[in-house]
Amino acid sequence: MPLSRPRQAARRLAVVALLLAAAVGCGDAGGLEGAGSTPTAEAPARLWPELTPASSPAFEIGEVNTEVIKGVKVPGDDIRRVNPVSIVRAEIARSPGDYDGAKAPYRDTKREMADCAKGPGHGKCPVLTPYYRDLTGDGHDDLTLGFPLLPGKTTAVRVYTVEKHRLVQVMGWEDALSGVELAGRSLVIRSPSEVAGYEYRLQWTWDRDQRAMLLTHDEMLRTGPRQHSRHPSASSPTGGSSGSPTGEPLGSPSGSPTLSSSSSPSVSPSASGG
């Protein structure tokens, strides 16, 4: 005979009472402890609802950064057969004001390109080791390339793909780098911050509609030890998520930027000749 609802309720109360008595009898061994106060959840508050929503951007940021690289052939539509040094030389030739002359901001980069006869990573050649991965999802490798903008402390990072037998730049960025990483179909760049114990983390991800790598995440991360506080923090200083459980910066021990292949075995560097 099934129990009636009053009897079911009485039985549940009896079980709860026994469990509480057992917990008290156990003392501190295995007992639950309070974790302290927790922040109260609050719904987002919309500010200035009377403002008319903007219909166009105030500044031209250049979110979609694509360019056909003229003068550089792609033998057999295979990007691995393209000389990385020739790609950098083509960029230098397109921007003579940045590289030519004693007062050009990147004059030393062009000067040291003369040492690239044996390819990236040899002598003083400024072209960093190229890395290959299918970032666009078309089944073919794409190229991630970097080179320092000398005599300054910034590094240029570029991503190239092949479209209609042409070499196309689909992402470009210059910054002081803590490290660079390929993760899935994304490129992650970490850069130092003026705020002690923090760094910037920028992530570009392939967008098939725009046919470009778009800046999909821009956040500040803690890298130093967190200061202990009695009150838990509800968010990071910028309001974004950390994106990394450790916040450890990427890069080589010497502090120079690296293109990391640790995120996936499918990433492959190449030391093709120049």
Side-chain angles (χ1 to χ4, degrees):
M1 179 178 178
L3 295 174
S4 64
R5 289 187 178 181
R7 289 186 179 182
Q8 289 178 344
R11 176 165 291 186
R12 292 194 187 101
L13 289 174
V15 171
V16 171
L18 288 174
L19 291 175
L20 289 175
V24 172
C26 290
D28 294 335
L32 299 177
E33 295 182 2
S37 61
T38 57
T40 303
E42 296 181 2
R46 183 184 177 189
L47 306 185
W48 307 301
E50 69 277 8
L51 291 179
T52 302
S55 59
S56 61
F59 307 101
E60 182 180 350
I61 302 176
E63 291 92 342
V64 180
N65 188 351
T66 62
E67 181 181 3
V68 176
I69 308 303
K70 297 180 180 180
V72 179
K73 303 294 184 181
V74 187
D77 288 345
D78 184 358
I79 202 167
R80 286 178 173 267
R81 296 175 63 184
V82 179
N83 184 354
V85 173
S86 67
I87 298 175
V88 178
R89 291 191 190 280
E91 178 167 336
I92 292 174
R94 291 196 308 272
S95 305
D98 291 334
Y99 297 93
D100 289 340
K103 296 183 179 181
Y106 312 139
R107 57 192 179 276
D108 287 352
T109 296
K110 181 177 181 179
R111 179 175 56 82
E112 294 190 1
M113 289 294 294
D115 207 20
C116 290
K118 295 182 179 180
H122 292 84
K124 293 183 178 180
C125 178
V127 183
L128 302 177
T129 300
Y131 282 84
Y132 298 91
R133 171 185 278 188
D134 179 11
L135 294 173
T136 62
D138 63 358
H140 301 282
D141 282 337
D142 303 298
L143 168 63
T144 302
L145 192 60
F147 56 97
L149 300 173
L150 304 171
K153 297 181 180 180
T154 59
T155 300
V157 179
R158 310 282 189 257
V159 175
Y160 303 91
T161 189
V162 178
E163 291 185 358
K164 299 179 180 180
H165 316 296
R166 301 176 302 176
L167 184 69
V168 180
Q169 178 181 310
V170 294
M171 177 269 177
W173 188 254
E174 298 90 32
D175 206 343
L177 304 183
S178 299
V180 185
E181 185 175 271
L182 293 172
R185 291 180 183 170
S186 296
L187 176 75
V188 180
I189 293 180
R190 297 193 179 198
S191 301
S193 165
E194 293 181 355
V195 181
Y198 290 85
E199 69 178 4
Y200 293 109
R201 180 182 185 270
L202 287 77
Q203 176 177 323
W204 282 263
T205 304
W206 173 254
D207 185 282
R208 63 180 181 180
D209 294 327
Q210 298 298 325
R211 307 295 301 170
M213 302 284 287
L214 300 185
L215 181 58
T216 52
H217 291 83
D218 182 354
E219 54 192 351
M220 181 182 282
L221 299 177
R222 179 183 291 275
T223 58
R226 183 175 297 275
Q227 295 179 355
H228 296 288
S229 173
R230 293 185 178 182
H231 302 287
S233 175
S235 63
S236 65
T238 59
S241 60
S242 68
S244 172
T246 62
E248 295 178 356
L250 301 176
S252 64
S254 64
S256 60
T258 63
L259 291 174
S260 171
S261 61
S262 61
S263 59
S264 171
S266 65
V267 182
S268 55
S270 171
S272 56

